[in-house]
Amino acid sequence: MRPTGKLHLGHLVGALQNWEKLQSVYDCFYFVADWHALTSNYADTGDIVENALDNVADWIGAGLDPEKSVFFVQSMVPEHAELYLLLQMVTPIPWLERVPTYKEQMEQLAEKDLSSIGFLGYPLLQTADVVIYGAHWVPVGEDQVPHLELSREVVRRFNNFYFPVPEGAPPRGLVEPQALLTPVPRLPGLDNRKMSKSYQNTIDLSDDAATVKAKVRQMYTDPKRVRADIPGTVEGNPVFTYHDAFNPDVAEVDDLKARYRAGKVGDVEVKTKLASAVNAMLDPIRERRAAALARPGYLREVLVEGSKRARLIALETMEQVRAAIKLKY
Ligand code: ADP
């Protein structure tokens, strides 16, 4: 995850809840992708470390556990950069230029000059991030699938040069990573566009109860309901999407939907109940987050210790890679 701002409910349902489940099934590595934050935010780096620590507090809040999973910082394992450089030697530039997110992001972030090598190389740095741990699976959304296809192509090309396998012998060299696609809901924001920090339509995991209440009160609902007695539409209405996602009281949600459709409930009641449900869901996250933040130096220590553990594995991979490239002195 890139430390580019506060984490919100979209990150919770789209990533963190899934990551939390994976930690009891796999050896998981979760990292603060601080160099990746630089690929688009190179002009303004002052907040990266603060965001990183705040994001990790949110991970712990969401139930990720540094005892079960390795939490590390990309720039604290500089071998990622070494492998990235070596992968560059065998990667044709057109392979990177045709990655769909490359052109899309250039267009979306037109106010930034993204004509850098760093931005073009983003998916190749991701490749290094993954293969340096011999990772078999990467939990990602659909939009990242082409990045993993690129990773596999690059790994195959790299292995062809440096880890040739005689006919019939078992494969060796870098591991080809696969996408672990978990269908996740795309959570709408307060304005019914995708929840995203760039739209300023988020409910953040660190928002207090009063802030959540105020934000829910401004949420987009059915615009044709200018009065409470006009029948409303539930489908595609973010207030009800949220009720379905965050309110465990199914009877209450069904009753609100029925009365909304019949024009027998005011928005104030629907939203007040929603704010209570979201706050109840966030309370344990807030508690774990606050406890982690209250321990002086704890989050830095988690990242330093985790980065040491990650680095041991990264160094081992790089030993093999340097030997394969015959750069051993
Ligand atoms: P980046 O770190 O590239 O800027 P984002 O902050 O947009 O990415 O998202 C990080 C992760 O959170 C991604 O896995 C993405 O799928 C997930 N995510 C972000 N926003 C939402 C949302 N509104 N609904 C569901 N998942 C989301």
Side-chain angles (χ1 to χ4, degrees):
M1 210 174 249
R2 302 190 318 150
T4 51
K6 295 208 160 263
L7 300 187
H8 51 66
L9 291 181
H11 296 119
L12 183 70
V13 301
L16 296 174
Q17 286 177 343
N18 183 36
W19 293 5
E20 194 269 329
K21 290 196 201 100
L22 294 175
Q23 32 173 31
S24 49
V25 186
Y26 298 94
D27 290 326
C28 296
F29 287 70
Y30 296 119
F31 75 100
V32 173
D34 54 354
W35 283 337
H36 283 292
L38 295 179
T39 55
S40 55
N41 295 12
Y42 55 82
D44 188 7
T45 60
D47 293 337
I48 292 180
V49 172
E50 195 184 319
N51 286 335
L53 295 170
D54 190 76
N55 289 177
V56 173
D58 283 336
W59 296 0
I60 291 172
L64 294 191
D65 181 350
E67 303 287 326
K68 288 189 192 158
S69 302
V70 178
F71 291 12
F72 71 94
V73 177
Q74 187 180 31
S75 67
M76 286 193 203
V77 187
E79 287 71 25
H80 287 232
E82 184 185 356
L83 184 57
Y84 172 46
L85 178 122
L86 295 174
L87 295 176
Q88 285 179 26
M89 303 302 169
V90 305
T91 305
I93 293 171
W95 287 15
L96 290 168
E97 285 171 334
R98 68 172 190 237
V99 171
T101 49
Y102 178 61
K103 286 207 176 77
E104 275 165 36
Q105 293 260 14
M106 291 266 247
E107 280 158 21
Q108 273 174 26
L109 304 175
E111 76 284 1
K112 289 182 184 165
D113 179 2
L114 296 179
S115 60
S116 63
I117 296 176
F119 187 70
L120 176 67
Y122 190 136
L124 194 62
L125 178 56
Q126 284 185 322
T127 302
D129 297 332
V130 169
V131 304
I132 205 161
Y133 300 103
H136 291 86
W137 299 103
V138 190
V140 291
E142 289 282 353
D143 57 329
Q144 292 286 322
V145 169
H147 291 198
L148 279 156
E149 277 162 15
L150 172 85
S151 296
R152 289 194 294 276
E153 281 181 280
V154 170
V155 165
R156 279 198 286 273
R157 196 165 149 84
F158 192 86
N159 286 347
N160 273 338
F161 284 116
Y162 304 119
F163 294 95
V165 178
E167 194 77 42
R172 57 193 201 106
L174 302 177
V175 175
E176 289 182 33
Q178 310 285 334
L180 185 65
L181 265 182
T182 318
V184 290
R186 186 148 287 260
L187 193 75
L190 301 173
D191 58 0
N192 209 25
R193 291 188 290 174
K194 179 196 163 190
M195 183 176 282
S196 167
K197 60 189 165 256
S198 35
Y199 297 149
Q200 298 180 337
N201 63 357
T202 64
I203 293 178
D204 297 334
L205 301 184
S206 50
D207 281 342
D208 61 24
T211 306
V212 168
K213 240 184 187 162
K215 285 183 172 178
V216 168
R217 213 178 303 132
Q218 316 155 12
M219 263 179 94
Y220 175 95
T221 50
D222 184 344
K224 71 178 178 295
R225 258 174 58 95
V226 287
R227 284 194 324 267
D229 60 355
I230 298 172
T233 304
V234 164
E235 289 70 30
N237 185 331
V239 173
F240 286 99
T241 306
Y242 279 38
H243 265 296
D244 285 333
F246 303 118
N247 189 347
D249 187 344
V250 178
E252 177 176 277
V253 176
D254 285 347
D255 168 63
L256 288 173
K257 285 180 180 170
R259 288 197 284 136
Y260 196 81
R261 288 191 177 106
K264 291 205 158 71
V265 65
D267 276 7
V268 173
E269 183 183 343
V270 179
K271 288 181 167 177
T272 305
K273 289 188 165 143
L274 176 60
S276 302
V278 171
N279 276 324
M281 186 273 305
L282 284 176
D283 273 338
I285 296 179
R286 291 178 180 131
E287 266 170 44
R288 284 189 293 262
R289 182 186 142 84
L293 286 166
R295 291 169 63 179
Y298 171 67
L299 294 169
R300 278 177 203 273
E301 187 187 303
V302 161
L303 291 175
V304 168
E305 287 309 310
S307 299
K308 280 186 197 155
R309 282 168 70 189
R311 196 164 186 207
L312 289 178
I313 301 171
L315 281 168
E316 213 172 286
T317 304
M318 291 318 296
E319 276 294 301
Q320 290 170 25
V321 166
R322 289 180 206 128
I325 298 183
K326 303 188 178 72
L327 291 180
K328 289 278 277 183
Y329 292 90

